[in-house]
Amino acid sequence: IWLAKRWYRQADVVTSASHPVAAEMAAAFGVPASRSLVVPNPALPSLDAITRVRRTPDGSDGIQLVVACRLVPQKSPHLAILTAAELQRRGIDTDVVSFGGGPLQAELETLASKEGVQFTPHGWVEDWFSHFSERSVVLLPSHREGLGNVLIEAAAHGVPAVAVSPALGVADAIIPGVTGELAFDDEPRSIADAVVKARALTVDGVDDWLSRFSAQSSADLLLEAVAYARGYAVATT
């Protein structure tokens, strides 16, 4: 961090995966706004190659919370179990599935058993959307994210997603009320509120927004950033 604060501000251009991260570059690392550019992650291939998941948005048959991240402390996966328990207390049948595996799996299985939540952990699955049910909602419970690729992937497949608002970077990866919802904080009741709202969304008409996260768009923006950096370097020498 010390090296970053010393050297980032001297770079010709600094790129960030999201606007909240770019703001951090300015506030915490002293990077001038004129040399801070946002280049989103290439989270998606061609949109034509993506198949939408069949869903039942009314949520009448319950909710399947999908946790698509490594089961590690920085991702806070225990919040998915506690959120499912909160939803069940509200009378909503809820189970949790995870994709990615990780060192916290045994701990989560113990917590799920204690809370009476059905928890199905999977290891790494490349085509994880093919395992979804018609009642799926993607949940990214991390306290901190640079962007949150899985939130964008979920929208591309027509599945709503929920993230924790204080994670900051997720703000660029969700359109609240359209592709998902941002929980007010990391309390299970707040996340549950967001999940209930998100499950009713149909996630339609967002192809133009999604195209920003395609490999081609990301590459084009990165090339623009390189050209911008060259121009700045020439102008200051």
Side-chain angles (χ1 to χ4, degrees), residues 89-233:
R89 284 191 287 272
R90 300 182 187 188
I92 302 172
D93 182 34
T94 308
D95 65 285
V96 178
V97 298
S98 73
F99 297 93
L104 294 184
Q105 180 172 318
E107 183 179 319
L108 291 174
E109 289 173 337
T110 300
L111 179 62
S113 177
K114 175 185 175 183
E115 296 289 339
V117 172
Q118 181 181 337
F119 173 52
T120 306
H122 297 278
W124 169 253
V125 178
E126 186 162 349
D127 186 19
W128 50 294
F129 285 96
S130 66
H131 296 265
F132 278 23
S133 78
E134 296 183 357
R135 55 197 183 94
S136 295
V137 174
V138 170
L139 173 61
L140 183 61
S142 309
H143 285 96
R144 188 175 182 83
E145 285 286 341
L147 181 65
N149 287 13
V150 297
L151 305 173
I152 299 161
E153 292 179 84
H157 287 82
V159 178
V162 169
V164 179
S165 187
L168 300 181
V170 297
D172 274 16
I174 282 183
I175 306 174
V178 179
T179 68
E181 296 290 345
L182 294 171
F184 181 73
D185 56 28
D186 62 356
E187 290 294 323
R189 64 178 180 275
S190 297
I191 301 174
D193 289 343
V195 169
V196 169
K197 290 180 181 178
R199 71 171 174 176
L201 300 175
T202 55
V203 193
D204 287 321
V206 293
D207 283 0
D208 288 343
W209 174 75
L210 288 168
S211 66
R212 177 174 172 79
F213 306 100
S214 69
Q216 185 61 58
S217 176
S218 183
D220 290 344
L221 286 170
L222 185 58
L223 289 174
E224 285 188 37
V226 171
Y228 189 94
R230 275 189 187 149
Y232 179 83

